[in-house]
Amino acid sequence: MPSQDAALVRRQAARARALALTTVSTAGTGHIGADLSAMDILCTLYFGVLRGGPDDPDRDRFILSKAHASAAMYSVLALKGVLPEEELATFGGAGSRLSTVVSTRVPGIEFNTGSLGHGLSLGAGAALAARVQGSGRRTFVLTGDGELQEGSNWEAAMLAASRKLDNLVVIVDRNLAQKGASTEDINALEPLDDKWRSFGWAVRTVDGHDVDELLDVFRGAPIEESRPTCVIASTVKGKGVSFMERNLEWHSRRLTPDLLDQALRELEHGNDD
């Protein structure tokens, strides 16, 4: 894997974090903790993995099941040139197409999501459609760990394994947190890797902020022939900003201008190298 690929992803992730922070601060709303935990995953996919342009019917599909990480998604799409960067200032506003959960009003969004637990079902359908059509496209689905408490995920997991959909990759943003508490305090998921294996999936656990590791596993999918792939990405909610990291208050807390300045200074300092 060329080292410049990982370096590009890291640069774009730093830029996207700053955009997402500014976006939610301007709007006075959003889910910045989830945005920051998912950002390295999103940037790895969009700047190093996903194949095909928006008008290519055989393009790889990406589905953001944890749709409340919308500011992260829009920031990445802005860096890809799909959205005007200045449109981020309309996030969450009346009449804006940049709603606080993603929808197909925005270019580059494949499916409406927001009701947690449905993204994997959509992804299984998209992967099955590719199989029927004889297309080599792959489908990647990013879920939150808290939303795995929804039973629809496991119905989709059974279907994907029974149909041997090795063109399907689910990525679990395993930040161990949901609104109000730890996932393990609310409805424990562990042993999560064994659960996915028992449903017939090939599983790999990675550091969700290690771009080299993410590039390796995403580019190498499927990791087992005839099995869908589950990547459990261990992440930190609020990654990159010290006062947000692992702080459950930052699931959806308002980011004031003073705190925004502090966060942006930390990001700049952290990327001086």
Side-chain angles (χ1 to χ4, degrees):
M1 178 195 62
S3 60
Q4 59 264 33
D5 290 0
L8 169 64
V9 171
R10 283 190 283 268
R11 287 195 301 272
Q12 297 290 52
R15 294 176 65 197
R17 278 189 167 88
L19 286 176
L21 285 161
T22 303
T23 296
V24 299
S25 179
T26 300
T29 188
H31 294 81
I32 193 60
D35 292 319
L36 297 182
S37 73
M39 194 65 81
D40 294 309
I41 297 167
L42 289 171
C43 287
T44 300
L45 288 168
Y46 273 89
F47 294 101
V49 176
L50 296 176
R51 303 179 302 209
D55 298 323
D56 181 357
D58 286 324
R59 69 189 179 279
D60 287 339
R61 305 298 201 255
F62 173 72
I63 299 168
L64 182 66
S65 190
K66 52 173 293 177
H68 53 290
S70 52
M73 186 78 239
Y74 300 146
S75 296
V76 171
L77 291 176
L79 291 178
K80 289 289 291 184
V82 177
L83 285 176
E85 193 170 311
E86 57 270 21
E87 189 175 353
L88 295 175
T90 72
F91 174 74
S96 173
R97 59 180 178 169
L98 304 188
S99 54
T100 55
V101 293
V102 296
S103 81
T104 53
R105 290 181 298 168
V106 178
I109 303 296
E110 300 283 359
F111 293 100
N112 296 326
T113 51
S115 181
L116 293 175
H118 291 178
L120 184 54
S121 298
L122 293 167
L128 185 57
R131 173 77 55 79
V132 170
Q133 294 166 359
S135 171
R137 67 179 180 265
R138 300 165 298 171
T139 298
F140 295 83
V141 180
L142 177 59
T143 74
D145 48 3
E147 74 173 290
L148 295 182
Q149 296 157 359
E150 295 281 358
S152 53
N153 287 293
W154 303 103
E155 296 175 42
M158 283 190 290
L159 173 71
S162 69
R163 296 295 184 270
K164 298 179 170 49
L165 298 179
D166 58 6
N167 58 345
L168 175 63
V169 179
V170 64
I171 307 144
V172 180
D173 184 356
R174 188 68 169 123
N175 59 32
L176 295 167
Q178 60 191 94
K179 187 175 183 179
S182 163
T183 57
E184 302 313 284
D185 291 336
I186 291 179
N187 194 6
L189 293 167
E190 294 299 335
L192 188 55
D193 54 351
D194 287 342
K195 284 184 173 67
W196 284 98
R197 289 190 183 97
S198 73
F199 275 74
W201 288 57
V203 182
R204 184 167 163 189
T205 299
V206 301
D207 179 342
H209 302 300
D210 185 325
V211 171
D212 295 283
E213 197 171 6
L214 292 170
L215 282 169
D216 180 66
V217 70
F218 295 157
R219 288 176 171 178
I223 58 177
E224 289 185 31
E225 187 176 353
S226 300
R227 290 181 184 270
T229 295
C230 173
V231 178
I232 300 174
S234 299
T235 62
V236 174
K237 199 155 191 172
K239 176 67 174 178
V241 179
S242 63
F243 59 86
M244 293 182 182
E245 289 188 355
R246 298 186 176 88
N247 185 340
L248 291 174
E249 291 183 3
W250 285 100
H251 179 80
S252 57
R253 180 177 167 183
R254 183 173 180 270
L255 184 62
T256 64
D258 286 346
L259 288 175
L260 172 64
D261 288 343
Q262 181 181 342
L264 293 176
R265 285 196 302 271
E266 286 193 15
L267 286 180
E268 184 178 3
H269 179 73
N271 290 281
D272 284 344
D273 55 351

